Amino acid sequence: MASSLYSNAQHVDFESVLGMDDPGMVSMFEALVASGLRGFLGCPAIVYEDALVDFFENASVRSGVVISTVGGQLVEISEKLFAETFELPIDGLGDLSEMPKDAIFGARSIVSFSGEPISLSGRKNQMKMPFRLLCDIVAKAISVKAGSFNAITVEKFSLLSAVVCGVKMNWAKFLLVF
């Protein structure tokens, strides 16, 4: 299972994409940077693929600390260490159920290809191209895959809304949940 989670990971080369000649794409990636996810999404994990698989296969959570072994060594990762390592913000929402409804409503129009608010039970082809890519990044790097990558889920759209609308998230708390 860990290897299937890892194979869906995304690495974003921010220097390259921020220099693109596409204002919509650049704007979307600037929103990702502003969200505080640059350190997490820009980390080239492929170098450590075997260690990551080993870590996830042996991981458990005890008292808010992820404990595992990698290469026979005990590894403990707290939310604070995780946040510091990936330069993640720790202020803000830690649970998607707290997402402001006005942010979700606003994002439904902002990302829409047609200008009409998109359906939260629809497909990502309803979105402008930069937000289709953002939907893929959210689905493959931030949330656990459930169903089709083309389907819009409430969880994926809530995360997308946080980025698009600048909602402050405690990304460390959200990303370190197993």
Side-chain angles (χ1 to χ4, degrees):
M1 180 171 146
S3 60
S4 66
L5 288 174
Y6 175 77
S7 67
N8 291 328
Q10 296 271 329
H11 164 75
V12 178
D13 180 355
F14 281 93
E15 297 307 318
S16 174
V17 296
L18 290 172
M20 292 174 76
D21 191 26
D22 183 329
M25 284 290 194
V26 170
S27 177
M28 185 274 293
F29 280 104
E30 286 173 341
L32 271 174
V33 169
S35 75
L37 287 168
R38 182 178 184 151
F40 181 76
L41 295 173
C43 179
I46 192 70
V47 175
Y48 307 105
E49 180 175 1
D50 293 337
L52 281 173
V53 170
D54 194 19
F55 177 82
F56 283 112
E57 285 177 347
N58 300 307
S60 64
V61 179
R62 295 184 199 131
S63 302
V65 176
V66 178
I67 300 171
S68 187
T69 58
V70 177
Q73 295 285 8
L74 181 64
V75 178
E76 296 183 6
I77 301 175
S78 66
E79 182 181 320
K80 182 178 185 244
L81 176 63
F82 186 73
E84 288 172 355
T85 301
F86 292 106
E87 300 173 358
L88 294 167
I90 56 172
D91 296 327
L93 306 180
D95 187 336
L96 291 180
S97 66
E98 301 169 355
M99 182 66 59
K101 301 298 179 212
D102 60 330
I104 292 173
F105 183 77
R108 289 178 60 205
S109 297
I110 292 169
V111 306
S112 175
F113 185 72
S114 69
E116 294 294 318
I118 66 168
S119 167
L120 294 183
S121 60
R123 312 214 32 94
K124 70 180 182 185
N125 65 355
Q126 300 174 33
M127 297 180 182
K128 296 174 193 167
M129 192 56 68
F131 300 109
R132 291 181 194 181
L133 179 57
L134 179 58
C135 194
D136 283 345
I137 291 169
V138 166
K140 295 176 182 178
I142 299 174
S143 67
V144 177
K145 182 188 181 310
S148 168
F149 286 124
N150 290 322
I152 299 171
T153 65
V154 172
E155 178 186 23
K156 278 194 281 190
F157 199 80
S158 293
L159 292 167
L160 186 140
S161 298
V163 172
V164 170
C165 295
V167 175
K168 295 212 179 278
M169 294 285 294
N170 179 341
W171 288 110
K173 182 175 184 174
F174 183 80
L175 292 168
L176 199 59
V177 175
F178 289 179

